[in-house]
């Protein structure tokens, strides 16, 4: 193991297999208008069977993606002490971070988080009686100077795509296309820049441990290296999402699972690393306003029991944020904690 910090080493059960299984069958949906009549049923099948799909002809200009990818490379190439000037800390959850732990094992990665659009607010504490809000403040590095502008431009493109996808998801659940729109007023959307450096022990560590995304929907740009693995619903096997040039990978997050009363499930995924090539990825997490109470939609629970109690998104976020900062002995707050017993 050489000099590798034992904090990175996964339990035997969670170590990646050496033989990669390519995911056959993760749906690839062509969002160009010529195919519009199929979009809703394609999305319904993808959300039910995989919780993941890829989109092409999505309308996001490739220039906008190239600019943010270039800026991310420039930022992560800076010396550590430069990056640490914009480090996230116990007060500010945004900025640079290289000591993330997922399920208490350290991830082989470094990240930069920013919230867009601004201003965005979250509760000051997890305490339900504390009504104080804090504004989320981005920490922009000095270099590359264009980072802020490219993130803001990229976020505007992501939002357009997000509303297109949320509209299709809503239709696929038998709801009006704009059903979700109001829930995203005063959103807490954020962009994460991920950098996974080459790893000397790729069979023992993970770039990002198995997890589900806690927000509504994730739109991910991955580069051509590959490493994202999805837990296939049919047999629980980890399968690799093959990089498709210019495509976006979309996955349903926990909030859509709750809104849809489990019709669509948030699926576990993880990232493997390799000893030769660094990898970059950029997820955009679409998230409601802090004031939103997340619960199964009434239209979908007529004649059916809601499977979750309502939880306040802002308080959930504040609780996660507090525990994310430290390596914990207890499990992070999860939607399963709000599940109504059968
Ligand atoms: O890097 C990737 O491919 C996935 C990242 C991811 O799942 C996340 O940041 O939540
Ligand atoms: Fe994720």
């Amino acid at each position: 193991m050489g000099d590798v910090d034992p904090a990175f080493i996964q339990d035997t059960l969670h170590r990646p297999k050496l033989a990669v299984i390519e995911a056959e069958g993760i749906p690839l949906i062509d969002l160009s208008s010529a195919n519009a009549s199929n979009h809703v049923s394609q999305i319904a099948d993808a959300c039910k069977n995989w919780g993941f799909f890829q989109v092409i002809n999505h309308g996001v200009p490739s220039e906008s993606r190239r600019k943010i990818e270039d800026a991310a490379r420039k930022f992560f190439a800076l010396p550590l002490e430069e990056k640490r000037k914009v480090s996230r800390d116990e007060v500010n959850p945004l900025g640079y971070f290289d000591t993330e732990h997922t399920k208490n094992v350290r991830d082989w990665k470094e990240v930069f988080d920013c919230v867009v659009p601004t201003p965005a607010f979250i509760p000051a504490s997890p305490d339900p009686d504390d009504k104080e809000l804090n504004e989320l403040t981005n920490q922009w590095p000095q270099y590359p100077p264009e980072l802020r502008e490219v993130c803001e431009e990229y976020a505007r493109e992501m939002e357009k795509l997000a509303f297109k996808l949320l509209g299709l998801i809503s239709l696929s659940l038998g709801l009006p296309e704009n059903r979700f729109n109001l829930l995203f007023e005063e959103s807490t959307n954020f962009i994460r820049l991920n950098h996974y450096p080459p790893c000397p022990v790729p069979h023992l560590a993970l770039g990002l441990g198995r997890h589900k995304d806690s927000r509504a929907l994730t739109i991910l740009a991955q580069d051509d290296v590959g490493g994202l693995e999805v837990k296939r619903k049919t047999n629980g096997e980890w399968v690799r999402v093959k990089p498709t040039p210019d495509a976006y990978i979309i996955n349903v997050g926990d909030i859509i699972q709750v809104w849809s009363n489990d019709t669509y499930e948030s699926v576990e995924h993880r990232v493997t690393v390799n000893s030769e090539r660094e990898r970059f990825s950029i997820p955009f997490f679409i998230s409601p306003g802090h004031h939103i109470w997340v619960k199964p939609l009434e239209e979908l629970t007529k004649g059916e029991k809601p499977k979750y109690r309502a939880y306040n998104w802002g308080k959930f976020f504040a609780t996660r944020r507090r525990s994310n900062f430290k390596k914990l002995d207890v499990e992070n707050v999860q939607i399963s904690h709000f599940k109504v017993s059968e």
Side-chain angles (χ1 to χ4, degrees), residues 167-187:
L168 291 168
I169 290 175
S170 192
L171 290 169
S172 78
L173 290 165
L175 302 169
E177 189 168 1
N178 63 0
R179 174 64 178 87
F180 294 122
N181 291 21
L182 279 181
L183 303 168
F184 291 93
E185 281 183 1
E186 299 178 58
S187 72

Side-chain angles (χ1 to χ4, degrees), residues 192 194 196 208 211 213 220 228 269 271 279 281 283 285:
R192 167 165 283 184
N194 280 316
Y196 304 93
L208 171 53
H211 69 282
D213 292 346
L220 175 86
L228 173 63
H269 51 287
V271 175
R279 174 174 181 269
S281 74
F285 299 99

Side-chain angles (χ1 to χ4, degrees), residues 192-303:
R192 167 165 283 184
L193 308 177
N194 280 316
H195 176 223
Y196 304 93
C199 173
V201 288
H203 53 299
L204 301 177
L206 287 169
L208 171 53
R210 79 204 144 90
H211 69 282
K212 296 176 180 181
D213 292 346
S214 61
R215 294 167 181 252
L217 204 63
T218 307
I219 304 182
L220 175 86
Q222 70 163 338
D223 67 12
D224 63 343
V225 174
L228 173 63
E229 295 189 340
V230 173
K231 198 166 186 178
R232 184 159 50 197
K233 283 183 81 171
T234 50
N235 60 1
E237 202 157 35
W238 287 107
V239 294
R240 169 78 64 93
V241 186
K242 197 172 158 193
T244 303
D246 222 24
Y248 284 98
I249 299 165
I250 316 297
N251 66 289
V252 166
D254 289 346
I255 293 178
I256 288 194
Q257 173 166 335
V258 174
W259 280 341
S260 75
N261 207 31
D262 282 353
T263 302
Y264 295 159
E265 281 165 356
S266 171
V267 166
E268 252 185 345
H269 51 287
R270 68 181 187 183
V271 175
T272 61
V273 277
N274 71 83
S275 54
E276 277 116 52
R277 290 184 70 191
E278 60 182 343
R279 174 174 181 269
F280 295 87
S281 74
I282 307 176
F284 178 75
F285 299 99
I286 301 142
S287 326
H290 66 82
H291 56 286
I292 293 293
W293 283 85
V294 180
K295 56 177 199 259
L297 298 176
E298 275 156 28
E299 304 93 303
L300 299 179
T301 50
K302 285 197 189 114

Side-chain angles (χ1 to χ4, degrees), residues 139-150:
Q139 303 197 72
W140 298 109
Q142 262 187 344
Y143 184 85
E146 71 277 17
L147 187 63
R148 176 180 186 157
E149 200 182 311
V150 297

Side-chain angles (χ1 to χ4, degrees), residues 52 56 254 315 327:
F52 266 82
I56 51 169
D254 289 346
K315 292 292 177 190
K327 188 171 183 299

